[in-house]
Amino acid sequence: MRVRGASYAERVSADVRVGADGRPRCGWVGEDAEYIRYHDEEWGVPLHGDRALFEKMSLEGFQAGLSWITILRKRPRFREVFEGFEPEAVAAFGEDDVERLMTDAGIIRNRAKIHATISNARLLLGMAPGDLDALLWSFAPGPGRQRPDSFAEVPAVTAESQAMSTALRKRGFRFVGPTTMYALMQSTGMVDDHVSGCWRTAMLTA
């Protein structure tokens, strides 16, 4: 979907911005090239696999209280120092690793979040392969969910994200609050919150 003749700054609505390539996108993307790539290639695309979902859950936890673009820019370093978010590797981290990570300006240096990531990896190892994937996706809303027309219609928390958070907390997982879990649901394609008019809507409903 393209809007011909639109200038770079022109908006289709208050919630959709037309980029330099003529594609209308969710307005939150702005003009940052990495944010545009993330929006176009990752956000809202179904993601599966325990390792991939553990990585996304960990990064969403680090994002709490911050902007996602901050995490996105630091993601390559996060992946490097957390051994690609391989659960076995992260679960083996000790206090020396925590101190090493606390000195690394390339990530978010939050001791509680680092400890939570390690603890969550250990909990994941106690689950059967595929169980995290199955658990998280069990909370995805069924078909027929209405697409938002504006950001005002996009919730911060839903009954499903609250249920997901409760289930994870009962298992001992940390930094998995309902708002964080709704962001996880958006980013992993469990819900599709691309607003009407965004070019990605045609791709995701094809």
Side-chain angles (χ1 to χ4, degrees):
M1 177 179 179
R2 292 176 181 269
V3 176
R4 298 183 181 278
S7 68
Y8 181 57
E10 184 178 348
R11 295 175 184 273
V12 176
S13 72
D15 299 286
V16 178
R17 176 188 293 271
V18 177
D21 59 359
R23 281 180 167 172
R25 295 180 175 88
C26 299
W28 57 262
V29 178
E31 302 173 7
D32 185 279
E34 178 59 14
Y35 231 4
I36 291 172
R37 186 209 60 77
Y38 175 74
H39 168 275
D40 288 1
E41 300 177 10
E42 296 186 53
W43 197 71
V45 177
L47 180 71
H48 286 279
D50 287 348
R51 190 217 61 79
L53 289 168
F54 170 64
E55 175 184 323
K56 189 58 69 74
M57 185 169 68
S58 300
L59 293 176
E60 293 288 359
F62 274 102
Q63 185 270 337
L66 303 169
S67 66
W68 180 247
I69 189 60
T70 298
I71 302 300
L72 198 58
R73 289 169 178 160
K74 291 177 178 287
R75 184 167 64 173
R77 183 59 179 167
F78 267 111
R79 286 174 167 170
E80 183 177 355
V81 300
F82 278 98
E83 305 289 344
F85 286 96
E86 289 293 342
E88 295 85 353
V90 178
F93 282 10
E95 283 304 313
D96 288 346
D97 296 293
V98 173
E99 295 307 320
R100 168 178 59 84
L101 293 169
M102 284 296 295
T103 66
D104 196 320
I107 65 169
I108 303 302
R109 292 176 288 182
N110 182 298
R111 190 177 297 274
K113 293 178 180 180
I114 292 170
H115 274 294
T117 303
I118 297 169
S119 174
N120 290 347
R122 293 170 181 169
L123 290 170
L124 177 53
L125 290 187
M127 300 171 67
D131 274 5
L132 180 65
D133 187 311
L135 176 65
L136 296 180
W137 274 90
S138 72
F139 297 101
R145 182 176 181 271
Q146 187 172 354
R147 178 177 303 286
D149 289 324
S150 69
F151 295 136
E153 297 177 12
V154 178
V157 176
T158 63
E160 292 87 358
S161 74
Q162 289 175 328
M164 179 188 289
S165 174
T166 297
L168 289 168
R169 284 171 165 169
K170 284 182 177 179
R171 289 173 177 261
F173 286 90
R174 295 153 58 192
F175 280 93
V176 291
T179 301
T180 299
M181 290 302 94
Y182 189 69
L184 175 76
M185 296 176 79
Q186 291 175 306
S187 65
T188 59
M190 296 178 195
V191 296
D192 174 10
D193 277 343
H194 287 277
V195 298
S196 299
C198 172
W199 80 272
R200 283 295 296 162
T201 62
M203 299 292 293
L204 292 169
T205 57

